[in-house]
Amino acid sequence: MTCCPHCQGADRFFNQRVAAADLRRYQRRGPTGTTGRLLGALTSTGVAGMTLLDIGGGIGVIQHELRAAGVTEITSVDASRAYLALARREAERRGYAADARYVHGDFVALAGQIEAADIVTLDRVVCCYPDMEALMHHAAARARRFLGLVYPRDGWWMKLGVAILNISPRLRRDAFRSFIHPTEAVEGIAAANGLRKTVHHNDPFWQVVLFAR
């Protein structure tokens, strides 16, 4: 396990209580919102027989849904032990845990140990990591066919909202923060790694982007 102070903060923030609530919501409603939109973009390409690297995948919504769509092998890397435990438990319940690998820690620090996959996903992860450039470079380099992102729009209203959101951890002296990274910079790193944008959807707060190689 390798975890920087920021990721240790994420481990505390995304704890057992948060993870259990996320799992209950998913079991009631299935994939919704921007996650559902990203899944739709991926499954429309035909994912049967592909492999998946899900970075910061939480309780594993993308993993479970893409496995049902035909993905064969899954690697989940997350800074939250609670999320990883529930993702594994749900995979066991669905009967595919033997085809999944669960890695706890900072993906950037662990990247040299993580193999490339046909599909790499970061669903609301770019906004939870301070070094966007390193995160995106390592993720894009490991995407053999597709890179799927959900991350915040970089409008002023989002910057204001995140500044307010970060007041509480700052007062607690917690290292975890949320971030708004420039869209142009995120997309530029994907392009520099040989990926072209094929899907881009904006809602008022988030953007869903699929890049293909």
Side-chain angles (χ1 to χ4, degrees):
M1 183 275 287
T2 302
C3 230
C4 64
H6 176 81
C7 292
Q8 292 171 5
D11 190 25
R12 291 189 293 271
F13 186 86
F14 297 107
N15 54 33
Q16 180 65 36
R17 179 181 58 80
V18 174
D22 283 355
L23 181 59
R24 288 194 300 270
R25 187 179 306 112
Y26 169 57
Q27 290 173 336
R28 287 197 311 267
R29 302 168 56 191
T32 60
T34 52
T35 300
R37 190 175 289 273
L38 177 59
L39 282 164
L42 283 165
T43 55
S44 69
T45 67
V47 299
M50 294 189 190
T51 58
L52 169 67
L53 168 58
D54 192 15
I55 301 166
I59 54 97
V61 174
I62 288 175
Q63 301 160 37
H64 308 320
E65 297 296 318
L66 291 189
R67 173 65 178 196
V71 161
T72 56
E73 296 179 6
I74 293 165
T75 299
S76 175
V77 183
D78 206 299
S80 166
R81 288 168 291 187
Y83 271 152
L84 283 173
L86 289 192
R88 185 197 299 269
R89 187 183 306 169
E90 184 67 8
E92 290 170 349
R93 189 181 73 82
R94 292 168 180 251
Y96 76 84
D99 296 322
R101 177 189 178 203
Y102 300 91
V103 182
H104 174 233
D106 176 1
F107 168 71
V108 170
L110 294 166
Q113 307 169 36
I114 305 298
E115 294 184 1
D118 297 312
I119 304 165
V120 176
T121 52
L122 299 100
D123 183 2
R124 303 194 182 193
V125 177
V126 172
C127 56
C128 292
Y129 201 78
D131 190 352
M132 178 276 292
E133 291 84 0
L135 176 65
M136 280 295 300
H137 274 299
H138 285 300
R142 279 153 185 78
R144 286 195 291 254
R145 298 186 65 178
F146 298 105
L147 174 65
L149 305 178
V150 177
Y151 68 108
R153 298 179 64 181
D154 56 0
W156 66 265
W157 62 97
M158 293 299 293
K159 295 175 183 177
L160 176 61
V162 163
I164 295 170
L165 187 66
N166 283 333
I167 291 173
S168 178
R170 186 174 289 111
L171 291 175
R172 297 195 310 271
R173 299 184 183 276
D174 195 309
F176 179 73
R177 299 287 189 276
S178 298
F179 304 89
I180 301 294
H181 298 296
T183 297
E184 183 177 358
V186 172
E187 294 188 350
I189 292 171
N193 280 273
L195 294 158
R196 70 185 190 284
K197 184 168 60 177
T198 59
V199 174
H200 191 172
H201 170 79
N202 283 334
D203 73 12
F205 306 109
W206 298 92
Q207 48 193 330
V208 179
V209 188
L210 182 64
F211 298 94
R213 193 175 295 287

